[in-house]
């Protein structure tokens, strides 16, 4: 827990302690005054009605409103008998609610529920008594109009103290503005208090005219009202469950669509789901409570890059800096995505967030140069969390940055690219809202054809060159062609790699290399051959598909030049003097069967990259002839293992 959280918790405990102390004083005074309060049978009966109504109160689904007629009886007690019995009755009601509701059994919540409402009703009752002629109770007046102003004062003081004290507690607990919390969650409850005051007024008038015998008729009325409200609330709960189910289905469909879109991008679906998690947590920390606004952000976090469908993969997944022309093409994805999504009748404002998610706080963004508060809050949230997750994740062209480095970059753009308030709140809560675990989406197998098509588009089926390439390239290509025609079943992947490296190696003096073969049974790549001065560092390396540099290249089928060698080999790469890496996928008939990765101290030249990329198709062709029988055997082994598991499951 950070120092800020400790300070916030201390303020909350201090506030609850102060309210509890004041409430305890009020309850103590009321207990002392209770024996001298006249007509104990009458106010005891009304107090029992308070407890009965409170115990069977109903919460309106989808809101913070709790339906109960207990406030009517509490105000009736206050008007007829003064502050003492009313304060004791509301204290007992708060204690009963705390004991019945498991969510409020924490000691500080019990203390607050017991004392805060008591303090509010006591203050309101005192205001009523002071405004009554001669301080007399309501039962002593001759004209009902005499009650109007004192009752209005009672309900106003009671409501403001009760709702205000609760809003302050909630705001301290969540680190939000007390007034904003009150306005969003409690201001609408004023209507409930006014309705209860009106009912209490008529009940007092009837009691004044008929006597307390009217309570015998009130009890069946309360029971009938409770049954009617329960039926109504039950129908609301059914409707809310239906809406929740539809919302869940709607979001699942959006999630599946976003995963399919990301399959054409160089970013895994775990990134967008992490961004969604961060965005929702940050929105709540900023005090966003409107369900429609939250749902819009939830959907926009998944779909904001829909327009990338219109961006060529050669630009979308280019490791290096984009040219001005390429960047202009990339910028089109914002409007394209918003236009696509505008054809869907979302029940919440998704499109404005998507259309503005590349706008900057100072107006320097695109596509329209919108600035400041004119940018939707959801878009301002999305830009910050998207940048943070991208910076703290491994990319083929750089390793993940630390939290401190990422926040330093984000803070440097506070007030220019990013909303200062959004950045400040994110800096405070980012560790709390971080996803505890975010695994790759389960639709990976379903979207694999999309990735395969994208890979095939970038790497068409290779043909054997008719003549050796230009000087400085792969001069022994014809020898490999001859070997490809005669290679038999006794050759291994290491044999092929050794022959290839004997021709490639001279063009990369001082470099080390590794041939990674894809293990389809474990979704991993495993070293099958190493060469160079640092072979000990490369021996036995294994990584999952999509992880680190070589795993990413195997998963996406795209070559990466001059990435950081630490992505594959960790900090030991720097110790060994290896700073740059060159990874080329070995693809055959649209399927990546391996990755050839080289490491050296200096930047790989264009000629070195071209040499390895020209050799890759032929090396892949030879390796394919070796791994095909093994792949069949592996598939058979996997099938047999699954069959045995099914047999065990049946037993």
């Amino acid at each position: 827990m950070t120092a800020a959280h400790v300070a916030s918790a201390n303020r909350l405990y201090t506030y609850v302690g102060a309210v509890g102390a004041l409430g305890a004083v009020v309850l103590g005074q009321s207990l002392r005054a209770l024996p001298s309060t006249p007509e104990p049978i009458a106010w005891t009966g009304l107090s029992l009605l308070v407890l009965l109504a409170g115990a069977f109160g109903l919460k309106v689904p989808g809101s913070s409103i709790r339906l109960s007629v207990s406030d009517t009886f509490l105000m009736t007690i206050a008007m007829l008998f003064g502050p003492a019995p009313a304060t004791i009755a509301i204290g007992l009601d708060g204690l009963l609610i705390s004991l019945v509701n498991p969510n409020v059994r924490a000691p500080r919540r019990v203390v607050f529920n017991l004392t805060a409402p008591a303090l509010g009703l006591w203050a309101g009752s005192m205001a009523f008594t002071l405004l009554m002629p001669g301080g007399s109770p309501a039962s002593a007046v001759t004209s009902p109009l005499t009650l109007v102003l004192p009752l209005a004062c009672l309900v106003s003081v009671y409501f403001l103290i009760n709702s205000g004290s609760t809003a302050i507690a909630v705001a301290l607990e969540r680190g939000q503005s007390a007034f904003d919390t009150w306005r969003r969650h409690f201001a609408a409850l004023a209507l409930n208090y006014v309705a209860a005051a009106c009912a209490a007024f008529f009940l007092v008038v009837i009691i004044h005219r008929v006597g307390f015998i009217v309570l015998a008729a009130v009890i069946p009325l309360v029971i009938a009202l409770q049954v009617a409200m329960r039926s109504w609330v039950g129908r609301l709960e059914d409707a809310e469950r239906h809406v929740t189910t539809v919302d869940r289905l709607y979001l699942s469909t959006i999630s599946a669509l976003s995963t399919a879109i990301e399959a054409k991008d160089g970013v895994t679906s775990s990134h967008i789901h992490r961004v969604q998690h961060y965005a929702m947590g940050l929105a709540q920390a900023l005090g966003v409570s409107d369900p429609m606004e939250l749902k819009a952000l939830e959907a926009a976090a998944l779909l904001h890059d829909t327009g990338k469908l219109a961006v060529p993969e050669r630009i979308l997944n280019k490791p290096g800096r984009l040219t001005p022309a390429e960047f202009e093409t990339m910028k089109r994805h914002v409007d394209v995505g918003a236009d696509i999504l505008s054809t869907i009748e979302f029940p919440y404002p998704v499109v404005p967030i998507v259309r503005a998610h590349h706008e900057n706080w100072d107006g320097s963004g695109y596509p329209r140069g919108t600035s400041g508060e004119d940018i939707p809050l959801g878009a301002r949230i999305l830009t910050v969390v998207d940048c943070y997750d991208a910076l703290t994740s491994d990319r083929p062209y750089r390793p993940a940055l630390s939290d401190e480095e990422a926040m330093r970059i984000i803070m440097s753009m506070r007030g220019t690219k990013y909303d200062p308030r959004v950045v400040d709140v994110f800096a405070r809560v980012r560790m709390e809202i971080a996803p505890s675990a975010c695994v790759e989406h389960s639709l990976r197998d379903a979207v694999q054809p999309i990735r395969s098509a994208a890979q095939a588009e970038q790497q068409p089926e290779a043909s054997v060159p008719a003549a050796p390439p230009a000087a400085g390239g792969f001069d022994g290509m014809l020898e490999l062609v001859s070997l490809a025609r005669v290679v038999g079943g006794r050759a291994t992947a290491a044999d092929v790699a050794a022959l290839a490296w004997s021709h490639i190696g001279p063009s990369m003096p001082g470099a080390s290399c590794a041939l990674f073969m894809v293990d389809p049974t474990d979704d991993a790549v495993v070293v099958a051959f190493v060469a160079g001065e640092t072979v000990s560092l490369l021996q036995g390396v294994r990584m999952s598909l999509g992880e680190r540099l070589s795993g990413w290249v195997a998963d996406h089928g795209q070559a990466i030049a001059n990435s950081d060698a630490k992505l594959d080999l960790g900090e030991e790469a720097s110790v060994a003097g290896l700073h740059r890496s060159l990874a080329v996928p070995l693809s055959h008939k649209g399927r990546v069967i391996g990755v050839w990765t080289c490491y050296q101290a200096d930047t790989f030249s264009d000629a070195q990259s071209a040499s390895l990329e020209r050799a890759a198709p032929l090396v892949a062709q030879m390796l394919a002839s070796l791994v095909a029988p093994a792949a069949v055997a592996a598939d058979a082994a996997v099938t047999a293992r699954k069959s045995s598991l099914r047999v065990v499951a049946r037993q």
Side-chain angles (χ1 to χ4, degrees):
M1 183 178 291
T2 64
H5 292 108
V6 172
S8 178
N10 289 337
R11 286 194 295 269
L12 176 61
Y13 290 139
T14 301
Y15 172 73
V16 172
V19 171
L22 288 175
V25 170
V26 165
L27 287 168
Q29 289 181 346
S30 299
L31 278 173
R32 285 196 298 272
L34 205 58
S36 60
T37 303
E39 301 189 68
I41 296 177
W43 53 256
T44 299
L46 284 169
S47 298
L48 290 176
L49 287 176
V50 169
L51 299 179
L52 181 65
F56 293 98
L58 300 172
K59 183 180 181 299
V60 177
S63 75
S64 59
I65 299 175
R66 185 178 176 83
L67 294 177
S68 171
V69 295
S70 59
D71 279 335
T72 296
F73 298 125
L74 286 168
M75 293 184 197
T76 300
I77 296 172
M79 294 165 68
L80 291 173
F81 307 109
T87 303
I88 297 301
I90 197 171
L92 292 174
D93 185 48
L95 180 62
L96 180 62
I97 291 174
S98 299
L99 295 176
V100 170
N101 189 345
N103 296 325
V104 292
R105 288 181 183 174
R108 74 172 186 275
R109 294 182 184 271
V110 173
V111 169
F112 192 83
N113 287 342
L114 180 64
T115 57
L119 190 61
L121 186 57
W122 178 86
S125 301
M126 290 298 294
F128 178 86
T129 302
L130 291 173
L131 290 175
M132 285 295 292
S136 59
S139 57
V141 302
T142 56
S143 172
L145 293 178
T146 310
L147 301 174
V148 174
L149 180 60
L151 178 57
C153 202
L154 184 159
V155 69
S156 299
V157 172
Y158 175 35
F159 167 68
L160 289 175
I161 293 179
N162 195 19
S163 62
S165 61
T166 306
I168 292 172
V170 172
L172 287 174
E173 189 172 39
R174 298 180 180 176
Q176 301 171 353
S177 163
F179 178 75
D180 286 345
T181 301
W182 179 85
R183 178 174 54 83
R184 291 173 178 172
H185 299 284
F186 297 97
L189 297 178
L191 185 61
N192 289 28
Y193 283 77
V194 172
C198 292
F201 174 82
F202 288 114
L203 185 57
V204 167
V205 170
I206 294 173
I207 289 175
H208 183 67
R209 299 288 177 86
V210 180
F212 286 101
I213 190 67
V214 75
L215 295 180
V218 168
I219 293 175
L221 182 62
V222 170
I223 295 174
L225 182 61
Q226 185 72 25
V227 171
M229 286 195 304
R230 187 170 294 278
S231 175
W232 176 65
V233 168
R235 288 195 294 272
L236 285 180
E237 288 176 344
D238 290 341
E240 186 182 34
R241 276 194 295 270
H242 175 70
V243 170
T244 301
T245 301
V246 172
D247 274 349
R248 188 163 54 247
L249 179 61
Y250 202 50
L251 192 61
S252 298
T253 304
I254 292 172
S255 180
L257 175 61
S258 69
T259 302
I261 293 168
E262 292 296 338
K264 291 184 71 67
D265 196 351
V267 180
T268 61
S269 60
S270 58
H271 165 71
I272 59 173
H273 286 85
R274 286 196 304 270
V275 168
Q276 182 193 53
H277 189 97
Y278 276 121
M280 298 304 292
L282 179 54
Q284 291 166 1
L286 285 164
V288 178
S289 59
D290 182 359
M292 293 294 102
E293 194 172 352
L294 289 172
K295 289 177 180 178
L297 178 58
E298 191 174 19
L302 294 175
L303 296 175
H304 65 280
D305 280 337
T306 299
K308 287 183 178 180
L309 290 169
V311 180
E313 278 81 1
R314 62 180 177 81
I315 296 176
L316 194 63
N317 296 321
K318 182 178 179 180
R321 184 180 297 274
L322 299 179
T323 66
E326 289 172 337
F327 186 59
E328 288 301 316
T329 301
M330 175 66 82
K331 286 162 62 174
R332 288 170 39 208
H333 85 274
V334 175
D335 277 335
V336 170
D339 292 342
I340 291 173
L341 296 177
S342 64
T343 63
I344 304 172
E345 295 183 1
F346 286 100
Y348 23 78
V350 175
V351 175
I353 297 177
V354 172
R355 201 177 291 279
H357 79 276
H358 275 293
E359 301 289 0
N360 293 339
W361 181 253
D362 62 358
S364 62
Y366 63 87
R368 286 166 179 75
T370 310
S371 63
E373 298 286 343
D374 291 336
I375 305 172
L377 178 58
R380 286 178 268 150
I381 290 171
L382 202 54
T383 56
V384 172
V385 300
D386 194 17
C387 176
Y388 176 81
D389 188 75
L391 291 174
T392 54
S393 301
D394 284 333
R395 288 292 184 264
Y397 45 88
R398 58 147 179 84
L401 301 183
S402 67
D403 170 72
E404 292 76 13
E405 292 171 321
M407 286 308 301
R408 188 158 49 247
I409 292 174
I410 289 175
M411 292 300 291
S412 70
M413 294 182 283
R414 176 186 180 275
T416 54
K417 185 172 184 179
Y418 303 128
D419 179 349
R421 185 171 72 98
V422 173
V423 171
D424 292 344
V425 174
F426 181 70
R428 176 167 54 83
V429 304
R430 67 186 186 282
M431 295 304 178
E432 297 175 27
I433 64 176
S436 56
C438 191
V439 297
E440 195 72 18
H441 200 267
S442 59
L443 291 176
R444 177 175 180 170
D445 292 338
V447 301
Q448 187 57 42
I450 301 176
R451 278 194 178 165
S452 299
Q455 293 167 9
E457 180 182 330
Q458 290 193 351
Q459 297 188 6
E461 185 65 24
S463 58
V464 178
F474 189 12
D475 295 328
M477 184 71 74
L478 290 181
E479 293 181 34
L480 281 180
V481 172
S482 299
L483 179 61
R485 291 170 179 166
V486 301
V487 67
R490 292 178 297 174
T492 66
D495 295 327
V496 174
L499 180 61
W501 183 247
S502 69
H503 294 278
I504 300 171
S507 67
M508 301 181 183
S512 297
C513 76
L515 170 64
F516 294 92
M517 296 298 293
V518 174
D519 181 358
T521 64
D522 197 25
D523 283 341
V525 291
V526 185
V527 165
F529 169 80
V530 295
E533 298 179 1
T534 55
V535 293
S536 60
L537 192 62
L538 301 172
Q539 292 285 5
V541 175
R542 181 187 187 92
M543 61 192 76
S544 298
L545 287 178
E547 292 185 354
R548 294 191 262 178
L549 172 65
S550 298
W552 190 93
V553 170
D555 195 32
H556 292 77
Q558 299 172 28
I560 297 295
N562 292 313
S563 186
D564 195 324
K566 290 190 292 186
L567 278 173
D568 266 359
L569 308 176
E571 294 297 333
E572 295 181 5
S574 299
V575 176
L578 302 177
H579 303 294
R580 290 290 175 261
S581 57
L582 170 63
V584 175
L586 304 175
S587 302
H588 183 70
K589 294 184 178 179
R591 184 170 68 92
V592 177
I593 58 177
V595 176
W596 194 297
T597 308
C598 299
Y599 311 91
Q600 67 181 24
D602 300 322
T603 300
F604 286 92
S605 67
D606 291 341
Q608 290 173 326
S609 299
S611 175
L612 187 58
E613 290 189 25
R614 282 196 295 267
L618 190 56
V619 174
Q621 181 180 340
M622 291 188 295
L623 290 175
S625 66
L626 303 179
V627 302
V632 172
D635 290 342
V638 171
T639 303
R641 184 165 65 252
K642 290 181 178 179
S643 299
S644 65
L645 289 174
R646 285 195 293 269
V647 171
V648 171
R650 291 193 195 101
Q651 293 174 347

